[in-house]
Amino acid sequence: MKENRDYKNEALAALKGNWAPAVLAMLVYTGVVLVLLVPYFIKSLTLSDLTDLTAAKGVMTWFWIGMAGALLVAGPMLVGLVNAFKRLLVAGDDRLVSNEFKIGFGNWLHHVWGYLLRTILVFLWSLLFFIPGIIKSLSYAMTNYILVDYPQLSANRAIDLSRAMMKNHKYDLFYLYLGFAGWFFLSIITFGIGYFWLVPYAQTAQASFYQDVKAEWEAGRTL
């Protein structure tokens, strides 16, 4: 495994001259998520009378519409987004916005199921306590890449493979995340603006990390 600075340097090298499409890809993804969820929040804020069952029912209807949209649209888009950054890193493909959609919806049902299953598992582990949820989130962190790189595998098997790849490497990934703490606080003090640069940087570095754990796995194991 490389040092954190190596992953970050590789990410910066890939993003050099490509920050504009990277930020645009983030804007598109964020815009889609907002379109899906904002109606629910607006309805919630306008609900002044909690005893008004008709209004409360309307709020919950928008909530479930938002959740369905997050699963059916934002979920595969997220798979597409992280893999678009991987393609930028590996192949220099700067078509981040089109790849975000092309990859994410290219195997739509498979990606929806993988996203849902991973989300449920992390949620259930988080119910036990905060720490187990973090550990499992790190363990399943490679799932979005595996869904694309190994489309022949079921979503459940992709999660299992992520867990196998991340064996003994969960702390390495957590340490990589810590390396972006400064960027995270910068995002906060810029009222979220820095987020549009942080995510491409962090995701491209994580893609480099994935390439390492994948190569290590493939060198010693078979599917």
Side-chain angles (χ1 to χ4, degrees):
M1 299 296 291
K2 301 184 186 78
E3 298 291 332
N4 272 4
R5 64 177 177 272
D6 297 318
Y7 297 123
K8 295 170 80 173
N9 286 338
E10 289 179 6
L12 289 173
L15 288 163
K16 185 178 181 180
N18 293 307
W19 281 106
V23 172
L24 180 59
M26 281 304 306
L27 285 169
V28 170
Y29 176 75
T30 305
V32 169
V33 172
L34 289 176
V35 166
L36 294 171
L37 297 181
V38 163
Y40 162 68
F41 289 113
I42 292 176
K43 287 289 185 179
S44 298
L45 292 174
T46 57
L47 182 63
S48 57
D49 184 1
L50 296 178
T51 62
D52 186 343
L53 297 181
T54 300
K57 184 178 179 180
V59 170
M60 289 307 300
T61 297
W62 279 108
F63 170 78
W64 289 114
I65 290 174
M67 291 300 99
L71 171 62
L72 301 177
V73 179
M77 273 191 71
L78 180 61
V79 175
L81 182 64
V82 300
N83 280 281
F85 287 123
K86 181 170 74 69
R87 280 197 183 178
L88 174 66
L89 175 80
V90 175
D93 188 343
D94 62 355
R95 297 171 297 175
L96 292 165
V97 175
S98 62
N99 284 338
E100 179 178 15
F101 288 94
K102 182 179 179 181
I103 298 172
F105 293 98
N107 196 1
W108 176 76
L109 186 59
H110 187 54
H111 296 163
V112 167
W113 179 237
Y115 174 81
L116 176 62
L117 188 57
R118 179 191 171 196
T119 301
I120 290 173
L121 288 173
V122 172
F123 173 73
L124 291 176
W125 278 103
S126 298
L127 291 178
L128 296 178
F129 200 60
F130 185 64
I131 300 301
I134 292 177
I135 293 172
K136 288 302 177 180
S137 181
L138 293 168
S139 184
Y140 304 150
M142 304 297 109
T143 303
N144 287 337
Y145 303 112
I146 294 169
L147 289 169
V148 174
D149 282 357
Y150 303 96
Q152 75 276 17
L153 298 181
S154 67
N156 190 66
R157 183 71 181 95
I159 291 173
D160 288 341
L161 183 53
S162 176
R163 188 170 63 240
M165 285 185 180
M166 289 300 293
K167 185 178 181 180
N168 301 322
H169 293 305
K170 290 183 283 295
Y171 175 76
D172 296 327
L173 183 58
F174 181 70
Y175 186 57
L176 178 61
Y177 289 162
L178 286 180
F180 293 98
W183 281 72
F184 175 76
F185 288 114
L186 181 62
S187 297
I188 293 175
I189 64 176
T190 58
F191 302 100
I193 295 175
Y195 157 85
F196 295 101
W197 280 262
L198 165 62
V199 175
Y201 185 17
Q203 285 296 335
T204 308
Q206 180 176 275
S208 179
F209 182 92
Y210 166 71
Q211 291 298 107
D212 263 11
V213 295
K214 176 186 174 184
E216 181 180 289
W217 168 263
E218 291 183 337
R221 301 295 181 100
T222 56
L223 295 178

